[in-house]
Amino acid sequence: MTEEHERKISRVMRSKQEARASYDSMSGIYDWLAGSSEWKFVQVGLGQLAAGSGENILEIGFGTGKSLVELGKAVGESGSVEG
């Protein structure tokens, strides 16, 4: 890393509890804030994954969980989805 980049990096000063509270407070409106601009990329990813009946899927970084619902529908009762 260059000295210039090192000066721009700052330490996170909030606790895990404060971070959790912040994300919890915005989670109810996040999908509305992100709008369709983010959802179109989720749909592309879901299409490329092409999850099928009976599959077991682990999704990392699932945000508010909107895509988990779609994955659950795709894998059906014989599959599983974890986030």
Side-chain angles (χ1 to χ4, degrees):
M1 237 184 213
T2 67
E3 186 176 323
E4 179 183 341
H5 286 100
E6 289 176 20
R7 284 185 272 136
K8 292 181 180 180
I9 297 173
S10 61
R11 186 159 182 69
V12 175
M13 301 304 291
R14 66 182 178 179
S15 69
K16 287 182 182 180
Q17 292 80 12
E18 290 170 323
R20 182 183 311 255
S22 175
Y23 285 110
D24 284 350
S25 70
M26 78 171 104
S27 66
I29 61 168
Y30 181 82
D31 288 330
W32 176 78
L33 287 173
S36 60
S37 62
E38 186 174 288
W39 181 242
K40 66 183 173 185
F41 295 110
V42 171
Q43 289 177 309
V44 168
L46 291 170
Q48 290 179 342
L49 182 60
S53 181
E55 290 191 69
N56 299 309
I57 298 174
L58 170 63
E59 184 180 354
I60 299 170
F62 55 87
T64 58
K66 192 173 179 181
S67 58
L68 293 175
V69 173
E70 298 303 314
L71 288 169
K73 291 176 187 175
V75 301
E77 290 185 24
S78 60
S80 69
V81 176
E82 301 286 333

